[in-house]
Amino acid sequence: ISIKNQLNSNSLYSLFFYSCFLMLFSSYLDSAKVIMANLLVLLGLRRIFSMHSLMVPKQKIFDASLWFLLAGLFNSWAVLFIILVYFAIVWYVSQDYRNWMIPLIACSIVAILFYTYGLMMDINFLQFWSEKFVISFDFQYFENNFQRIALSIFAALCCLFITSQFKLIKRAPMHQHTLYKNILMCFVIGALIYLVSSPKQNASLVYTFFPLSIAAGNFILNIDQKWLKDTIMISVLLLSFFVFAMQL
């Protein structure tokens, strides 16, 4: 996604930081539903970020909507990424009113498939959805102190990299502004999912990994001093590995 859409100038910094974030929150690997939901979200983001080419936009809107809605079946609040689809419509193809109806068509398809499956498996739909969309602001969920340390490190990195992304937008060429706005909006939605999700867990932060890794890659690319680049990257790697090792 990063290389094809030139989000990091064809560098692999974003992959490096994404891997570090996965080490920092290794509990993500214990949740099969979050892993599946995140995979579907990434497939949807791939279509969203490719919309800047303006090639077959209707197909991309449908695909992204379908992936995000399917992700909501595994992790209910992941469905909030559908907001990003409408922002993409506003930024790219708002002049065609038919584009606004495409996410609703995707929603109808997912609903028909899910309710057909539910009838076959005798699922109580009212109970199912009431249990899925529960909002919780209880942040006393940590199993050990290293999970608190991981969250503190991640919060500090978020402040650094997202702030730098805002500054980058001001200096970037006009044709890249929308791409960077998509990155920031993607991060906001991912953070919102973590804030409202229940039961709360560090694994829910995985939806912020992609936009934050892109922002981190851009931050590193804009540093001229090689020693400073190396220092930041090695520090992030060592901190992530330390927290990962302590939680084994």
Side-chain angles (χ1 to χ4, degrees):
I1 300 172
S2 173
I3 292 176
K4 186 174 181 180
N5 296 287
Q6 298 181 342
L7 300 178
N8 272 158
S9 301
N10 294 333
S11 74
L12 294 178
Y13 289 128
S14 58
L15 182 59
F16 169 82
F17 282 105
Y18 199 102
S19 302
C20 288
F21 298 151
L22 286 176
M23 278 199 297
L24 196 61
F25 298 111
S26 56
S27 59
Y28 159 75
L29 300 174
D30 297 328
S31 179
K33 289 185 177 180
V34 176
I35 291 175
M36 193 63 195
N38 184 51
L39 173 61
L40 294 170
V41 166
L42 287 174
L43 290 172
L45 292 177
R46 173 179 171 270
R47 302 301 276 170
I48 289 292
F49 282 98
S50 66
M51 280 187 65
H52 73 280
S53 66
L54 298 180
M55 296 176 60
V56 290
K58 290 181 174 59
Q59 181 179 332
K60 292 176 180 178
I61 292 170
F62 177 81
D63 290 348
S65 302
L66 192 65
W67 291 127
F68 293 150
L69 291 165
L70 287 173
L73 296 179
F74 292 92
N75 191 350
S76 56
W77 288 112
V79 76
L80 290 177
F81 275 99
I82 202 72
I83 298 171
L84 191 61
V85 175
Y86 282 102
F87 271 99
I89 293 173
V90 171
W91 288 328
Y92 293 114
V93 288
S94 60
Q95 66 277 8
D96 189 345
Y97 73 93
R98 290 172 296 183
N99 292 324
W100 297 90
M101 306 300 295
I102 294 174
L104 300 179
I105 297 173
C107 183
S108 300
I109 292 173
V110 173
I112 290 171
L113 292 175
F114 172 72
Y115 280 101
T116 300
Y117 171 80
L119 291 173
M120 292 172 60
M121 302 302 295
D122 195 25
I123 294 176
N124 186 325
F125 296 114
L126 182 61
Q127 181 182 358
F128 178 86
W129 290 117
S130 63
E131 292 176 352
K132 287 289 184 180
F133 290 97
V134 177
I135 297 176
S136 172
F137 295 104
D138 180 14
F139 292 91
Q140 302 300 318
Y141 63 90
F142 302 102
E143 297 176 2
N144 54 64
N145 288 330
F146 291 104
Q147 289 187 355
R148 292 186 174 88
I149 294 172
L151 183 60
S152 300
I153 294 172
F154 188 74
L157 294 176
C158 287
C159 293
L160 175 63
F161 296 144
I162 295 301
T163 301
S164 70
Q165 189 69 28
F166 275 110
K167 294 180 179 178
L168 180 62
I169 292 178
K170 298 179 181 179
R171 302 194 305 269
M174 286 299 297
H175 69 276
Q176 288 187 317
H177 279 200
T178 305
L179 279 175
Y180 293 146
K181 288 178 182 177
N182 274 334
I183 293 171
L184 293 173
M185 183 55 62
C186 182
F187 176 81
V188 170
I189 294 173
L192 181 62
I193 291 172
Y194 166 73
L195 290 174
V196 302
S197 62
S198 176
K200 204 169 296 299
Q201 54 183 335
N202 280 350
S204 299
L205 286 165
V206 71
Y207 303 110
T208 64
F209 289 1
F210 173 76
L212 189 63
S213 63
I214 297 297
N218 289 329
F219 176 78
I220 295 296
L221 283 170
N222 283 277
I223 297 177
D224 297 325
Q225 299 89 345
K226 187 177 184 301
W227 67 269
L228 184 56
K229 287 184 180 181
D230 293 342
T231 301
I232 293 173
M233 294 178 68
I234 291 172
S235 298
V236 173
L237 178 61
L238 291 178
L239 286 170
S240 301
F241 183 78
F242 171 75
V243 173
F244 171 75
M246 290 298 100
Q247 294 185 74
L248 290 178

